[in-house]
Amino acid sequence: MRLTHLLVLTALFVGCSCQYTHGYFNWLARIMGYSRYYSNRYYGTEPEPPLATNCPAECTCPSIFPRAMYCDTRRLKYIPEVPARMKYVYLQSNQIDAVPDGVFDNATHLVWVVLHWNKISSDKIGANVFSKLTSLERMYLGHNNLTKIPFPLPKSLRELRVAGNKISTVQPNVLEGLDNLTKLLLNDNELEDIGGSLRVLKSLSYLDLSNNHLKKLPEVLPDSLHQLYLDFNHINSIPNEYFQQFPKLQYARISNNELTDNGIPLNTFNVSNLIELDLSHNKLQKIPPVNENLEHLYLHANKIKEFTVDSFCRTRGLISFSKIQVLRLDGNSIKQDNIPQEVNSCLRQARIINI
């Protein structure tokens, strides 16, 4: 086994107990730096990396990972000059309130820009400060004072985190051209309706819209979705065959909303691709029918009074049964002695059933 793999496995086992000065991102960078350096030295393909000679005084640039600049948690009110060699810049947990044009002009090959937990407002972001970063893959702008998603953004972007801001609308054109974006975090904002503004994200796999003010499900979303999080909103109904448009969707969370039986059409969740469905903390009085392929179903903290086996198994037999492994029905009005005997043949793969 190569030394790179050994170091990564060791990090996974001991990561929980280790403490590093600059937190998670520094830990990740250290692992990447050490493994890359020693692996290459072991095979004789790379000499010892040179010491960083042009690092800003406010930051740290470890020689073991010379393309990373750590400026996090230093009470900075501005972005220091970024050397041209840098690919990873960590500026989180400061007091930065602006990202002016030109601040990254020396380092246009940046791959990660980490700016979460600052005081950045939308009107203090330069018009083209991010679009010049043509290699940028991950941008972290969560927990600032943004009222809108920055525009324009580089087409290379794969992950965008703008959670914990004050964004109330997503303009129709702001995400156009981001064909490589796979992960978008818009949770903990002030969104009431996003319409069809996300339909242009052709590769989007992970979408978090939780903890907003949504009263209905987004009209149109990319059919590439794999994970969808809509918990802690005000959604009270689901359009007929809504989930049929997402053939790759496996994880859906709509907990802590205002869903009722009347707001869920009969076959809403009868889609074979879903593996996990969370409908907890709503106002359901019945168990909605689900597909036999579903493995995890969370219905706790509703108003359900009856355990209906037909919700899981339309037919029952040697080869016809539900694949449910975890079922939570606690916090409802179902009594243990009212559970029908057929549940044993229907939910024969269940490991956890909480009533």
Side-chain angles (χ1 to χ4, degrees), residues 215-217 234-239 258-260 262-265:
K215 296 181 179 180
K216 61 180 182 179
L217 294 175
H234 305 289
I235 299 167
N236 59 19
S237 63
I238 299 174
E258 300 174 13
L259 289 173
T260 63
N262 292 333
I264 301 179

Side-chain angles (χ1 to χ4, degrees), residues 50-103:
L51 292 174
T53 56
N54 59 338
C55 184
E58 306 94 330
C59 308
T60 301
C61 307
S63 59
I64 198 69
F65 195 50
R67 296 188 183 277
M69 187 173 93
Y70 298 95
C71 314
D72 53 299
T73 321
R74 317 223 173 176
R75 299 182 180 178
L76 295 179
K77 296 184 178 180
Y78 60 93
I79 298 176
E81 183 177 350
V82 183
R85 73 176 185 278
M86 293 302 169
K87 288 190 175 182
Y88 310 93
V89 177
Y90 303 95
L91 293 153
Q92 71 270 23
S93 302
N94 281 296
Q95 300 174 16
I96 299 169
D97 63 356
V99 188
D101 274 323
V103 73

Side-chain angles (χ1 to χ4, degrees), residues 246-283:
F246 310 121
K248 298 180 181 179
L249 185 66
Q250 293 190 324
Y251 302 90
R253 184 181 296 168
I254 322 177
S255 66
N256 291 276
N257 276 279
E258 300 174 13
L259 289 173
T260 63
D261 297 335
N262 292 333
I264 301 179
L266 183 61
N267 288 312
T268 297
F269 303 115
N270 188 17
V271 285
S272 59
N273 45 285
L274 268 183
I275 292 178
E276 182 173 302
L277 176 63
D278 189 348
L279 296 171
S280 63
H281 296 275
N282 276 284
K283 301 177 180 179

